[in-house]
Amino acid sequence: MNNVKLAPYKRSSSMKSVVDTMDTRISTNIGGLGRRYYDQLSQDLDKIIQVDVTNGVTETKGSVRGRAIQLALEMRSRGVSENDVIVIVSRTHADQTVVVLASLFLGAIVAPLNPEFSYKESLELVKKLKPKMCFCDIRMVSQMERIMPMLSHAAELIHFGEKSGSCVPFSKLFAHKESEYFQPVFIENPVITVAFILPTQGTTGNPKLICLSHQNVFGQTALLLHIFNYPDKIISFFPLCWIIQTALTCASFEANVMRILPGAFTERSACKIIHDFEVGYAIFGTDYAMKLISNVAIKARILSLPDFIESNNFGAKFDFNLNCLKCIMIGTVNTTKYDIQQLKTLMPHVKYLQCYCLTETGLIAASTIRNYAESLEKPDSVGQILCNGKIKIMDLDSRENAGPDRFGELYFKGDGMMLGYFKETDKTLAAMEKGYFKTGDVAMYDEEGWLYVQGRLEDVITRDDRRIYAIELENIILMHPLVKDVAVVGDSKQVVACVVRKRDTSLSVEKLTKFISERVPSYHMPTKIVFLDGFPRTTIGSVKRKILREELLTIKIEYSSSFTSINVD
C-alpha cells in the first residue's frame, strides 16, 4: 500500500446541525503498525530518517530497521510478547525511536510517559500499566529505580547509556544479529487492538492513560502528513507521550520524513539547528514559536543592524539564516490573533499552521498548507475540521445541538477516537454520549467548517448568573503593551487575573485595572489581579490552571494552638 493521500475537506449536507467529514475512510488492512513499518522501511534503505543533534548520530531506514530487528529479538528472548506493555521515560533521541519500532514489531504496547511527571504521578501510572520492560535515560534512572520495587510484578529496567545502578545498559541488548527470517507480529484487527497508551497532560487533574489502536495512530500519521503536505525534514522539541509527536515518529517510518531530534529547547539552539540543518518544517506550538521569534538574531532582521544595536545597547554577531523555514505548526495552546500578528511580522515568509488536537480524539481541526490563504482570513480559528471526523456543538444550558455560529461544548466522533481510558471503564463511559466524546472544550464552527475554541468548560466562570469566558478577558488584558502573558481563573465568588509583565517594565494593579475597566463591562472585571513571574506549564506549553486554582481560589485554613482562621487570600 502506498503513502496515504487524504481528500480535502468536504462540506457535509448536514452542516446545519453537525460537521461530518467521514467521506474518506482510511484502509484498515495494515496488519498492525509493526508489519506496516517493517515493509515500508525495507525500501530505500539508505534514506536518512533521523538525525540526533545531541550526539551526532545519523540513521537511515536500513539502520533503524536493522537495529529494531536486533532489539526485538533480544526483547523476545527476555519474555516480551504480544500485548505486553513497554514503558519509555526519556527525552526524544535516536535510541528511543528504535525501542518504539522494536515494540511494534513484537505487537507489544508502547507506553511513553512524560519525563516531567512527578515521582507520585509516574509511580501511579507505572503501577497501573504493569510494564514488562521500562526504558529510561539518565535523568529518570533514580526515579525509576525507586519505582521498580513498588511494583507487584517483575519488570526489567533498561538505561539508555552505560550501566547505572541496577539498570541494564541499552547497548547490551544487541547481541542478536539482524535476521532475514524475522517477521513482525501480524495484528488481526488493528481497529480494536491497542498500539500505544499515552498519558494526558494533567492540566485539569491527575494524568489519565489513553488507549490508541493501530488504526488510530495510522490515521493520525496520515492526517499529520496531510497538514504539512508531506514534509521532507522536520523538527519538534516535544516528548513522545504527546499524540502529535507519536504521529511524527511514525511518519518517519511511513513516508521518508527526516526527523531532526534536538535537545532541550532554547531560542538560540532552535535557531542554530534550523540554520545548520536547513530545516523547512517545525512543530513548535505557540509557546515555543513566540520564544523563537524573541531571539535577537530574528529581531535584528526587522531593524537595520545599527538601529537594533543602539536600541538594545549592545553589539552582537548574527549568524543564523532562517529563510529555509517554511512552516511552523502552532496552536498546542490557545493562540490569540495578536500572537499571529507578531509571528507574521517577525517571520513573514513562514506559514503558521494552527491545530486543535486532544489525545482522546486525535487531530480534529487544523489549517493546512493547502488552505493557508483562507486561514489568514480567520485568525481566531484553530483550523478547519479535518477529514474522518464528525463534530457537534451542545448548548451549555439546554444541552441541545446548537448548530453553527453558536458556542457550546464540543462533541467529537471519528477515526481518531480513543479505545478508552486504560483500566477505567467508568471514566470512559462518563466521557462518552451516544458515540461522541465530550471534549470539555467550549467551541463554535462556522458554515465553512472552521472551528473556534474558547477554552475549557471549567474556564467558563459564572458570577451573578452571567458567564465570563476566561479567554475573552485574557485577550483584553493582553492588549496592554506591558503585559507578556495572562491566565484567568475564577469561581462564583472570584475572578483572578494572573499576569506576567514584560521584562524590565513596571505596571501597577491600579493602572491595569483602569485599562481593563475601559474595555469590559463591570461584571467582567477581575476581582483580583496577581502579578507572577511565570505560569506552571505542561511540556507542550499548556498552563496548568489546576495549580493556579488551588493556589489562588482554594480557601486555606491555618491552624494555631488557640484558634482557627480562614484566609481567603
Side-chain angles (χ1 to χ4, degrees), residues 319-334:
D319 52 0
F320 303 136
N321 184 345
L322 304 190
N323 288 336
C324 58
L325 195 57
K326 300 174 184 177
C327 292
I328 297 178
M329 176 178 279
I330 59 174
T332 57
V333 296
N334 285 328

Side-chain angles (χ1 to χ4, degrees), residues 23-314:
D23 300 314
T24 304
R25 304 291 294 186
I26 300 173
S27 171
T28 60
N29 298 320
I30 60 173
L33 295 176
R35 178 63 66 93
R36 169 74 180 181
Y37 299 147
Y38 181 85
D39 293 338
Q40 291 291 94
L41 291 171
S42 66
Q43 308 166 34
D44 301 322
L45 295 177
D46 293 331
K47 175 71 177 179
I48 295 173
I49 61 170
Q50 64 177 6
V51 178
D52 192 330
V53 175
T54 59
N55 57 21
V57 171
T58 297
E59 287 199 282
T60 63
K61 294 171 68 174
S63 170
V64 171
R65 182 177 181 269
R67 288 211 295 148
I69 291 173
Q70 288 181 282
L71 180 59
L73 291 170
E74 180 64 25
M75 291 170 67
R76 181 183 287 168
S77 72
R78 291 171 180 258
V80 176
S81 59
E82 192 172 348
N83 295 320
D84 281 336
V85 175
I86 307 299
V87 163
I88 304 174
V89 194
S90 74
R91 69 171 181 84
T92 302
H93 54 74
D95 288 338
Q96 182 195 77
T97 306
V98 174
V99 175
V100 171
L101 188 58
S103 301
L104 294 174
F105 282 171
L106 296 176
I109 299 169
V110 183
L113 299 182
N114 193 333
E116 303 302 323
F117 280 158
S118 67
Y119 167 76
K120 182 179 178 181
E121 289 172 328
S122 297
L123 173 62
E124 292 305 312
L125 295 178
V126 173
K127 285 171 65 176
K128 185 178 292 185
L129 286 165
K130 296 183 178 180
K132 188 77 171 184
M133 300 180 82
C134 296
F135 292 80
C136 64
D137 57 20
I138 188 65
R139 286 196 311 152
M140 299 303 299
V141 168
S142 59
Q143 179 167 293
M144 295 305 295
E145 284 183 326
R146 290 172 61 199
I147 289 174
M148 290 295 107
M150 307 290 287
L151 303 183
S152 60
H153 68 289
E156 198 166 16
L157 185 58
I158 313 297
H159 172 228
F160 290 117
E162 299 304 317
K163 185 173 177 60
S164 176
S166 59
C167 296
V168 176
F170 184 71
S171 59
K172 298 297 183 182
L173 302 184
F174 293 86
H176 291 270
K177 293 183 179 180
E178 181 181 348
S179 172
E180 62 181 280
Y181 301 107
F182 176 83
Q183 284 294 318
V185 169
F186 185 89
I187 304 299
E188 294 291 341
N189 195 338
V191 177
I192 61 172
T193 304
V194 180
F196 285 83
I197 299 176
L198 303 184
T200 58
Q201 294 296 309
T203 55
T204 59
N206 294 326
K208 296 188 287 290
L209 294 169
I210 298 171
C211 298
L212 303 179
S213 71
H214 288 255
Q215 177 62 22
N216 180 306
V217 175
F218 180 65
Q220 293 307 301
T221 302
L223 285 176
L224 185 65
L225 293 169
H226 169 71
I227 290 168
F228 281 108
N229 196 22
Y230 286 77
D232 54 354
K233 195 183 300 181
I234 192 165
I235 186 172
S236 169
F237 285 84
F238 293 115
L240 178 64
C241 61
W242 184 42
I243 177 61
I244 290 183
Q245 186 72 18
T246 296
L248 178 59
T249 301
C250 293
S252 66
F253 308 145
E254 177 69 39
N256 294 342
V257 175
M258 184 192 302
R259 294 166 59 226
I260 307 300
L261 312 179
F265 178 89
T266 67
E267 294 90 334
R268 181 174 179 83
S269 68
C271 289
K272 180 172 174 29
I273 294 169
I274 293 169
H275 168 87
D276 289 348
F277 291 92
E278 298 182 340
V279 179
Y281 302 84
I283 299 176
F284 279 166
T286 304
D287 189 44
Y288 281 167
M290 296 300 290
K291 288 179 179 178
L292 179 76
I293 65 171
S294 70
N295 185 273
V296 294
I298 292 177
K299 287 184 176 179
R301 297 181 183 278
I302 307 304
L303 298 171
S304 66
L305 189 58
D307 290 341
F308 181 79
I309 293 174
E310 182 179 350
S311 65
N312 287 274
N313 197 28
F314 66 92

Side-chain angles (χ1 to χ4, degrees), residues 362-506:
L363 285 154
I364 293 178
S367 51
T368 70
I369 289 180
R370 293 179 179 88
N371 67 15
Y372 184 67
E374 189 177 355
S375 74
L376 295 178
E377 301 173 3
K378 301 173 183 286
D380 294 328
S381 172
V382 297
Q384 197 171 38
I385 310 301
L386 294 166
C387 61
N388 295 335
K390 186 175 183 179
I391 71 164
K392 61 182 179 180
I393 304 296
M394 305 304 288
D395 185 89
L396 298 183
D397 294 315
S398 69
R399 307 310 297 177
E400 297 292 330
N401 197 336
D405 301 320
R406 291 178 59 191
F407 279 103
E409 184 178 1
L410 173 64
Y411 283 24
F412 172 86
K413 71 187 305 185
D415 286 353
M417 184 78 75
M418 67 174 180
L419 293 175
Y421 294 116
F422 184 65
K423 294 183 179 179
E424 293 188 293
T425 303
D426 291 345
K427 288 185 178 179
T428 301
L429 293 175
M432 305 297 296
E433 185 173 302
K434 297 180 179 179
Y436 282 86
F437 176 76
K438 299 181 287 187
T439 67
D441 284 335
V442 178
M444 175 191 79
Y445 64 87
D446 63 21
E447 288 285 354
E448 286 74 43
W450 290 82
L451 188 66
Y452 304 79
V453 178
Q454 283 278 47
R456 298 291 296 168
L457 197 58
E458 59 260 34
D459 296 332
V460 180
I461 304 163
T462 302
R463 287 182 64 216
D464 301 327
D465 296 325
R466 295 178 184 269
R467 284 200 179 99
I468 301 171
Y469 292 95
I471 191 171
E472 291 182 350
L473 185 51
E474 289 168 357
N475 287 338
I476 294 295
I477 298 173
L478 281 170
M479 292 170 61
H480 195 288
L482 301 185
V483 171
K484 178 183 179 182
D485 207 352
V486 61
V488 172
V489 294
D491 54 24
S492 61
K493 296 180 179 179
Q494 302 178 81
V495 178
V496 182
C498 309
V499 178
V500 178
R501 289 172 285 207
K502 289 183 178 178
R503 185 183 300 178
D504 301 326
T505 61
S506 176

